[in-house]
Amino acid sequence: MPLGIWLKAGTSATALVLAMAGAATAATAPTGESSTAQAAVVTLRYDDSRAAGWEAAIAAGVASWNANVSNVRLVEAAPGTAAEIVIVATTGWPQATLGPVRPGRQVRVELGSQAVAQGYNKTRIAAHELGHSLGLPDTKPGPCSQLMSGSSAGTACTNATPNTTERSRVQSAYASGTAALAPTHRILIDAP
């Protein structure tokens, strides 16, 4: 085959490969809008491997936060991987490090059985302590409608859903795709 035909065939093949690659890239590239939305979500991993007996409450608390805020997502850490939120079961009162935790940093949540023994709801406790990790302080005294009112709402309160103000504060703390506020590393103990 003459050289001219080889060059023409090679050029056509190259053009075809480039055109197909461009089409594939265009088909899989996210739109500007969804790319921005995806980039704004901060994923925080939690490790509850040392929170035996609290698994259902933690899952419900995580689900509550994930359903009520859009720019931060709590996911269970794979075994053996680092987590930003370490959750452990203790015999004392629930307590947590005040965040907002940043990706790659770490806070601790202690889910204390002393509160459960006095009649407080496990799911509310878990959601409340996760709220501390996301940067929310206590709002004691407060009504049951405020998740961060904690034990001051009484043992009859089972609300594990953040209210509008609490959701807004977490949304603001993670608005730029990372935790906007510097963590204080204060430990908040939720005894009455």
Side-chain angles (χ1 to χ4, degrees):
M1 183 182 289
L3 182 60
I5 294 176
W6 275 105
L7 289 174
K8 195 181 265 188
T11 304
S12 296
T14 302
L16 179 61
V17 168
L18 290 174
M20 290 175 66
T25 302
T28 60
T31 64
E33 183 179 322
S34 65
S35 175
T36 302
Q38 289 173 349
V41 176
V42 174
T43 300
L44 299 173
R45 295 159 299 177
Y46 67 92
D47 174 5
D48 65 353
S49 63
R50 295 185 294 165
W54 287 85
E55 297 87 353
I58 293 166
V62 164
S64 178
W65 279 108
N66 285 343
N68 284 284
V69 294
S70 61
N71 60 1
V72 64
R73 187 125 208 80
L74 302 174
V75 298
E76 190 169 5
T81 62
E84 285 83 11
I85 303 170
V86 175
I87 307 171
V88 297
T90 69
T91 57
W93 278 96
Q95 57 184 304
T97 310
L98 180 60
V101 65
R102 295 182 176 132
R105 303 280 175 88
Q106 194 172 77
V107 295
R108 181 177 169 97
V109 167
E110 295 184 10
L111 300 175
S113 62
Q114 192 170 355
V116 177
Q118 291 197 11
Y120 291 96
N121 178 269
K122 277 182 144 181
T123 300
R124 178 170 168 85
I125 292 168
H128 174 91
E129 299 307 325
L130 288 168
H132 287 319
S133 297
L134 298 174
L136 298 177
D138 287 316
T139 55
K140 294 179 181 181
C144 183
S145 60
Q146 292 178 344
L147 175 59
M148 300 314 293
S149 67
S151 61
S152 71
T155 57
C157 180
T158 60
N159 173 39
T161 304
N163 68 18
T164 303
T165 302
E166 293 162 336
R167 290 189 302 261
S168 177
R169 287 183 179 161
V170 170
Q171 290 286 109
S172 293
Y174 291 91
S176 66
T178 187
L181 304 172
T184 62
H185 300 290
R186 268 187 7 210
I187 303 297
L188 301 177
I189 300 172
D190 289 303

